[in-house]
Amino acid sequence: MIFPHSSFVKSYLTTRSLQPENQESPIEHIRTDLVHPSLFYRRNHFTYPSFTSAYYWLPIRGLVEKPVCYSVQDLLRLPSRTIKAVLECAGNKRSLFEPKVFGEQWEKGAITQGEWKGVSLRTLLRAAGLKDAAKEVVVEGYDYGERTDTDTVHTYARSLPLDQAMHPDTIVAYEYNSQPIPFKHGYPLRLIVPQWYAMSSVKWIKQIYVIDSAFEGPFQSVDYVYYPYQESDEGAFPVTTMNVNSIIQKPSNMEVLNTGKHTIEGIAWSGEGLIKKVEISIDGGSTWSDAKVIPAENYAWVKWAFDWTVPVKGEYTLMAKATDSGHRMQPSTPFWNRKGYGYNAMEKVKVKVE
Amino acid sequence: MIFPHSSFVKSYLTTRSLQPENQESPIEHIRTDLVHPSLFYRRNHFTYPSFTSAYYWLPIRGLVEKPVCYSVQDLLRLPSRTIKAVLECAGNKRSLFEPKVFGEQWEKGAITQGEWKGVSLRTLLRAAGLKDAAKEVVVEGYDYGERTDTDTVHTYARSLPLDQAMHPDTIVAYEYNSQPIPFKHGYPLRLIVPQWYAMSSVKWIKQIYVIDSAFEGPFQSVDYVYYPYQESDEGAFPVTTMNVNSIIQKPSNMEVLNTGKHTIEGIAWSGEGLIKKVEISIDGGSTWSDAKVIPAENYAWVKWAFDWTVPVKGEYTLMAKATDSGHRMQPSTPFWNRKGYGYNAMEKVKVKVE
């Protein structure tokens, strides 16, 4: 017997927690543009909801002229939009903050990319007719449970300001990579808000309702808020779009290499504009050179690569920093905040050449 | 539709490298005594070997009176021994060293436990008849390739001193958990050396030969050696038995908990003697209490648990330290060494109670 199959190597999700299920993507090992559902990171606030999707209806309610309920079949008959987008958890890279912050200790893999097909949320809102007092649109999921900070049960819900809700690329999606959305990622309907951190892309949509005030749910007003100070809430502001960011996929940190030619490679993304430049340093940030960047669609990550010929044995600190079309650049020191959101300091990887 | 299957949660291996394949076990989430092959950590020095096991023979050669070749069927007819044992990579927990050391950045999961069935190596050596000059027994695997520090090709091979080779529990195994050994874990035959770090438990055995000197292969004389200094090889000594060690499986580091009752739980193991005591501190090491330890067989890990009622909100540093029957105890600071082997400092986990 020879074992061609059993010696096939592949990567898996990395478990951070099973109750609820939080698993990150082996992002260093992903080279495809459309991440397979089995490697799509999982971030849950509660146990998976159970509901009977055979009787599934999506209500659009609140401050609208004509409240309406859609079946999934109804949505399939409306004009569709397909969007390739990065989804990144606001807590991605949280484990890199110093001082350490509490919460799921994500490394670099709370990020994914795929193609979502669905109906623009504004199509549904216009059909329902927004009332003049409309200010925010709340999207509620089927997932609920207890939080550690209160004894009451909460449903996962988030709001969008009206302009973001009416953006044509904010969609109620029913397909991921040309298939029905996998259950763990929001089947049958998931909101997709490109460019925003993924807490806005509510899974298992239960209802959408329009309100005339600022939504006060705990996942809006307690979590997903930047608190710049340890001991006070002063200066707090909401988490919205993704910061400009990048990762080095290869080599890996503390890897031992031969002298010779190596390709440093990775991805970069931004929640505002496009990635315009990725720079690489092989001397810990003293000097920088441009990496070759392969342009990508709006909302997608770019791949970049840098050929490195190492003539001299020794230890090297490799760094990467991305710049977007809004001139935003990864900072050398991260913006520390108490709940650990939005980490985007320059990437750093140490290697030894022997 | 309801989705009972797709919302089933489970953990996977965590990928450190795919070339060669190095993946660690989600050890914090394992509660079984016999780890399933799919969650057994994978540590390779080279790509997987390919050989035709239909024509497999195991030669016993070198300084023996009667060199002999065994088929797997021959071994199945000899007296067998079944051993439940911990296998731990010598580099397990390497990522915890400060200063950081180069090499695979294992967290706590380069460890597993299972039941191995096979024939005592001494049965084979006695049948072959050791010559008087015999000093070490070399076990060579089918895996080979280039190392970063030389341009030549090396086969993975390790030696044992004669007393360890003749220990009745050092076995040539053909079954793992009552099944043929999975290919990635050494099919058809793997050496199992209980109590030693797992570099000695050579996979895919190609041959066993007896020599009259100290084996000088690079996995014996360069790797798997403790080098206490960064800049010199002074004081170097070989990696052999596992240090006394433990992990906290629950809660996880930086987890946020409610006030109330929590169980702190984990496992502990040692390569010399049995675990006699596991102590827990909830105040960062100032005071210690005994955990409840469930005794286990020789060579197996023990499970331990400690009930903790948290009356006061705040941050806590939980620690665990194990002591074995040889009075060895986990140290408060690790023994730093250049290649990062044998980390066994006390376990430490921070939590916040709110």
Side-chain angles (χ1 to χ4, degrees):
Chain A
M1 262 184 291
I2 296 179
F3 292 82
H5 295 297
S6 49
S7 67
F8 177 75
V9 302
K10 64 173 192 146
S11 56
Y12 308 89
L13 295 172
T14 295
T15 305
R16 297 282 158 232
S17 153
L18 289 178
Q19 294 169 331
E21 189 176 49
N22 286 322
Q23 310 217 43
E24 68 181 86
S25 171
I27 191 68
E28 284 90 346
H29 303 287
I30 286 180
R31 294 293 181 275
T32 53
D33 262 12
L34 304 179
V35 175
H36 189 273
S38 66
L39 297 182
F40 188 151
Y41 80 95
R42 299 167 182 167
R43 198 286 181 247
N44 291 286
H45 297 83
F46 304 114
T47 53
Y48 287 103
S50 59
F51 56 88
T52 307
S53 60
Y55 308 115
Y56 183 85
W57 289 97
L58 169 64
I60 312 282
R61 300 169 41 213
L63 296 175
V64 293
E65 302 294 345
K66 295 164 293 185
V68 59
C69 280
Y70 289 95
S71 68
V72 176
Q73 274 63 30
D74 294 336
L75 295 184
L76 294 174
R77 283 189 288 265
L78 293 174
S80 72
R81 199 168 267 258
T82 300
I83 289 161
K84 190 201 278 188
V86 171
L87 281 189
E88 184 188 13
C89 174
N92 193 25
K93 302 191 182 185
R94 177 181 288 130
S95 64
L96 302 179
F97 278 109
E98 290 292 345
K100 297 278 178 216
V101 293
F102 287 94
E104 214 62 84
Q105 294 299 294
W106 300 109
E107 295 184 3
K108 300 171 184 178
I111 184 170
T112 193
Q113 179 170 275
E115 219 165 52
W116 299 90
K117 183 178 180 184
V119 176
S120 294
L121 176 57
R122 78 170 175 188
T123 303
L124 308 182
L125 294 173
R126 282 179 178 168
L130 289 171
K131 291 192 175 171
D132 287 346
K135 200 174 155 197
E136 291 194 351
V137 179
V138 180
V139 182
E140 189 179 306
Y142 269 99
D143 48 332
Y144 65 91
E146 284 183 11
R147 290 171 53 92
T148 51
D149 57 354
T150 63
D151 291 332
T152 51
V153 166
H154 292 271
T155 297
Y156 189 77
R158 290 273 314 174
S159 76
L160 287 175
L162 215 53
D163 60 339
Q164 191 62 36
M166 295 298 279
H167 190 291
D169 291 335
T170 296
I171 62 173
V172 174
Y174 46 74
E175 277 184 15
Y176 175 72
N177 293 352
S178 310
Q179 297 287 327
I181 299 174
F183 176 73
K184 290 192 172 184
H185 298 291
Y187 184 92
L189 297 178
R190 177 177 192 167
L191 188 72
I192 296 295
V193 187
Q195 299 193 313
W196 284 47
Y197 281 111
M199 72 279 156
S200 297
S201 294
V202 177
K203 290 173 283 202
W204 311 291
I205 304 176
K206 186 181 186 178
Q207 60 166 329
I208 294 174
Y209 57 95
V210 181
I211 59 176
D212 63 359
S213 57
F215 180 60
E216 292 288 346
F219 298 99
Q220 193 91 20
S221 60
V222 179
D223 296 338
Y224 302 115
V225 173
Y226 292 108
Y227 300 100
Y229 302 103
Q230 181 64 267
E231 303 294 347
S232 98
D233 289 357
E234 204 185 321
F237 62 101
V239 173
T240 58
T241 59
M242 294 183 287
N243 291 326
V244 60
N245 217 331
S246 68
I247 57 169
I248 296 175
Q249 294 176 298
K250 204 178 106 178
S252 58
N253 194 29
M254 304 308 280
E255 189 171 340
V256 180
L257 304 172
N258 281 318
T259 53
K261 284 191 176 183
H262 298 282
T263 303
I264 306 171
E265 57 187 62
I267 56 174
W269 64 98
S270 172
E272 293 178 23
L274 297 169
I275 292 295
K276 283 295 166 199
K277 190 161 69 171
V278 177
E279 291 163 281
I280 302 300
S281 173
I282 57 153
D283 54 12
S286 302
T287 62
W288 296 86
S289 310
D290 283 3
K292 187 182 161 198
V293 175
I294 302 167
E297 305 91 316
N298 270 349
Y299 314 143
W301 62 44
V302 300
K303 294 183 183 192
W304 57 263
F306 182 81
D307 290 323
W308 180 38
T309 304
V310 202
V312 185
K313 294 181 184 189
E315 298 184 13
Y316 292 87
T317 298
L318 314 181
M319 296 179 71
K321 65 175 173 191
T323 305
D324 69 19
S325 53
H327 306 290
R328 302 193 309 165
M329 188 196 284
Q330 289 180 258
S332 53
T333 50
F335 166 59
W336 187 93
N337 60 96
R338 193 169 77 223
K339 292 212 170 204
Y341 298 122
Y343 186 102
N344 77 328
M346 297 172 188
E347 272 278 289
K348 197 179 279 192
V349 156
K350 269 187 89 172
V351 297
K352 180 171 149 191
V353 178
E354 69 176 22
Chain B
M1 262 183 294
I2 296 180
F3 293 80
H5 295 296
S6 49
S7 66
F8 177 76
V9 302
K10 64 173 191 146
S11 56
Y12 307 89
L13 295 172
T14 295
T15 305
R16 297 282 158 229
S17 153
L18 289 179
Q19 294 169 332
E21 189 176 49
N22 286 322
Q23 309 219 42
E24 68 182 88
S25 172
I27 191 68
E28 284 89 345
H29 303 287
I30 285 180
R31 294 294 181 276
T32 52
D33 262 11
L34 304 181
V35 174
H36 190 272
S38 67
L39 297 181
F40 188 150
Y41 79 95
R42 299 169 182 165
R43 198 285 181 249
N44 290 286
H45 298 82
F46 305 115
T47 54
Y48 287 104
S50 60
F51 57 87
T52 307
S53 60
Y55 308 115
Y56 183 85
W57 289 97
L58 168 62
I60 311 283
R61 299 169 42 212
L63 297 174
V64 292
E65 303 295 344
K66 294 163 294 188
V68 62
C69 280
Y70 289 94
S71 70
V72 176
Q73 273 64 29
D74 293 335
L75 295 183
L76 293 173
R77 282 189 289 266
L78 293 174
S80 72
R81 200 169 267 260
T82 301
I83 289 161
K84 190 201 276 187
V86 170
L87 280 189
E88 183 188 13
C89 174
N92 193 24
K93 301 191 182 184
R94 177 181 287 129
S95 64
L96 302 178
F97 278 108
E98 289 292 343
K100 298 278 179 217
V101 293
F102 288 94
E104 214 60 85
Q105 294 299 294
W106 299 110
E107 294 183 3
K108 299 171 185 177
I111 183 170
T112 192
Q113 179 170 276
E115 220 164 50
W116 298 89
K117 184 178 179 184
V119 176
S120 296
L121 176 57
R122 78 169 175 186
T123 303
L124 308 182
L125 295 173
R126 281 179 178 167
L130 291 171
K131 290 191 176 172
D132 286 348
K135 198 173 157 197
E136 291 194 349
V137 177
V138 179
V139 181
E140 189 179 305
Y142 269 99
D143 48 332
Y144 66 90
E146 284 181 14
R147 291 169 54 92
T148 51
D149 56 356
T150 63
D151 291 333
T152 52
V153 166
H154 290 271
T155 297
Y156 189 77
R158 289 275 313 175
S159 76
L160 287 175
L162 214 54
D163 60 338
Q164 192 61 36
M166 296 299 280
H167 190 292
D169 292 336
T170 297
I171 63 172
V172 173
Y174 47 74
E175 277 184 14
Y176 175 72
N177 292 352
S178 309
Q179 297 287 329
I181 298 173
F183 176 74
K184 290 191 173 184
H185 297 292
Y187 183 91
L189 297 179
R190 176 177 193 166
L191 188 71
I192 295 296
V193 187
Q195 298 193 313
W196 284 48
Y197 281 112
M199 74 278 155
S200 297
S201 294
V202 177
K203 290 175 280 200
W204 311 292
I205 304 177
K206 186 182 187 178
Q207 60 167 329
I208 295 175
Y209 56 96
V210 181
I211 59 176
D212 62 359
S213 57
F215 180 59
E216 291 288 345
F219 297 100
Q220 192 91 19
S221 60
V222 178
D223 295 340
Y224 302 114
V225 172
Y226 292 109
Y227 299 100
Y229 302 105
Q230 181 64 267
E231 303 294 347
S232 98
D233 289 357
E234 205 184 323
F237 61 101
V239 173
T240 58
T241 58
M242 294 184 285
N243 291 325
V244 60
N245 218 331
S246 68
I247 57 171
I248 296 174
Q249 294 176 298
K250 203 179 107 180
S252 58
N253 194 32
M254 304 309 279
E255 190 170 339
V256 180
L257 304 172
N258 279 320
T259 52
K261 285 191 176 185
H262 298 282
T263 303
I264 306 171
E265 58 188 61
I267 56 174
W269 65 97
S270 173
E272 294 177 21
L274 298 168
I275 293 295
K276 281 298 166 197
K277 191 161 68 171
V278 176
E279 292 163 280
I280 302 299
S281 172
I282 57 153
D283 55 11
S286 301
T287 61
W288 295 87
S289 309
D290 284 3
K292 188 184 160 199
V293 175
I294 303 167
E297 304 91 315
N298 269 348
Y299 315 144
W301 62 44
V302 300
K303 295 184 182 191
W304 56 263
F306 181 81
D307 290 324
W308 179 37
T309 304
V310 202
V312 185
K313 295 180 184 189
E315 298 183 12
Y316 292 87
T317 299
L318 314 181
M319 295 178 71
K321 65 176 172 190
T323 305
D324 69 18
S325 53
H327 306 289
R328 302 193 309 166
M329 187 197 283
Q330 290 181 257
S332 54
T333 50
F335 165 60
W336 188 93
N337 60 98
R338 194 169 76 223
K339 291 211 169 203
Y341 298 122
Y343 187 101
N344 77 326
M346 298 171 187
E347 273 279 290
K348 197 179 281 191
V349 155
K350 269 187 88 171
V351 297
K352 181 171 150 189
V353 178
E354 70 175 20

